[in-house]
Amino acid sequence: MDSLAALALPDLWDRLTGTQPDPDLWVVLATLAAALAVIVPHPLWRIARNAITIAHEGGHGLIALLTGRQLTGIRLHSDTSGLTVSRGKPYGLGMILTAAAGYTAPSLLGLGGAALLAAGRITLLLWAATALLVAMLVMIRNAYGLLTVVLAGGAFLLVSWLAGSQVQAAFAYAVVWFLLLGGVRPPFELQTKRSRGGAGDSDADQLSRLTHVPAGLWLFLFHAVSVCSLIGGGRWLLEV
């Protein structure tokens, strides 16, 4: 048993740190089309948006921890809204960065994923995403959120362990395209809600109260991050 483990661990490490061949261009374009097909039609987006919410709330949670705040729980709701609660000073840089992390997280995660794929690190991306979802699972505080994260983590785990290299590559590219493209839509949705007098307690409005900078400028930042991430990440993904 020990000898088998000794043989398996180096192989596991080589898989994690090694590079994998780029997929054919048609696979990259097909996954791009698939991501658009899920994001553009409202009925499908209404379901798929749950994945963006996971990234959104995960971004809040991760930055809260990195800035020294105490993360107490994350909730994901069936209407694709979410809530991340942390303890600490209700002002200051840590609170500002935590509030700003939500709308920017999906796009920045997509950009990071595109960088890994451009470097041929497909397995590393899949395992890193699985690890982040498992870590997030510990902080989920409601049944719907638990189910959503378990399903997402299970999909990554199954593909990572059981699928062939071509399926892994297609899955990884589809996920990254989805994050890059899907990260663009929520700021526009928030802008529409605010123009109609809604979403008065949105991340942009909270940031405005924290910094005395108009919420519209924070909304512009969300747009800028999502669009720039899409342009930069898209270029990396298409350079196969």
Side-chain angles (χ1 to χ4, degrees):
M1 185 68 70
D2 291 339
S3 61
L4 288 176
L7 290 173
L9 286 176
D11 180 62
L12 209 59
W13 180 253
D14 289 341
R15 287 180 59 194
L16 183 60
T17 58
T19 60
Q20 293 76 44
D22 294 329
D24 295 331
L25 179 60
W26 73 266
V27 174
V28 179
L29 295 177
T31 53
L32 167 59
L36 284 171
V38 170
I39 291 167
V40 174
H42 183 73
L44 290 178
W45 169 247
R46 186 70 178 76
I47 299 171
R49 199 184 191 282
N50 284 285
I52 296 296
T53 303
I54 291 175
H56 180 116
E57 300 303 329
H60 283 313
L62 178 60
I63 299 303
L65 290 173
L66 291 178
T67 55
R69 299 181 63 80
Q70 181 183 356
L71 182 61
T72 58
I74 298 173
R75 292 177 175 270
L76 306 173
H77 304 132
S78 58
D79 63 355
T80 72
S81 65
L83 177 66
T84 298
V85 180
S86 62
R87 292 178 181 173
K89 292 189 300 183
Y91 56 88
L93 183 60
M95 187 64 197
I96 293 170
L97 292 176
T98 299
Y103 277 96
T104 56
S107 296
L108 293 177
L109 286 171
L111 183 63
L116 287 176
L117 293 180
R121 309 283 184 173
I122 296 172
T123 301
L124 179 59
L125 182 146
L126 294 174
W127 286 26
T130 305
L132 288 173
L133 288 166
V134 170
M136 186 176 179
L137 189 62
V138 178
M139 301 308 304
I140 298 295
R141 295 292 182 264
N142 67 323
Y144 183 82
L146 187 68
L147 175 63
T148 304
V149 176
V150 166
L151 289 175
F156 275 93
L157 191 60
L158 288 174
V159 171
S160 300
W161 282 99
L162 301 179
S165 59
Q166 292 299 314
V167 174
Q168 288 186 0
F171 181 79
Y173 272 79
V175 167
V176 172
W177 275 124
F178 176 78
L179 288 171
L180 290 171
L181 293 163
V184 174
R185 187 162 178 174
F188 282 102
E189 294 175 338
L190 176 58
Q191 183 175 352
T192 300
K193 288 180 181 178
R194 294 190 75 256
S195 68
R196 296 172 180 172
D201 198 37
S202 70
D203 291 354
D205 293 282
Q206 292 180 38
L207 285 163
S208 179
R209 291 192 290 269
L210 286 167
T211 62
H212 305 292
V213 173
L217 288 181
W218 286 107
L219 188 57
F220 174 79
L221 174 66
F222 298 159
H223 283 304
V225 170
S226 64
V227 172
C228 290
S229 295
L230 174 59
I231 293 172
R235 290 182 61 183
W236 279 335
L237 294 179
L238 291 170
E239 290 177 356
V240 295

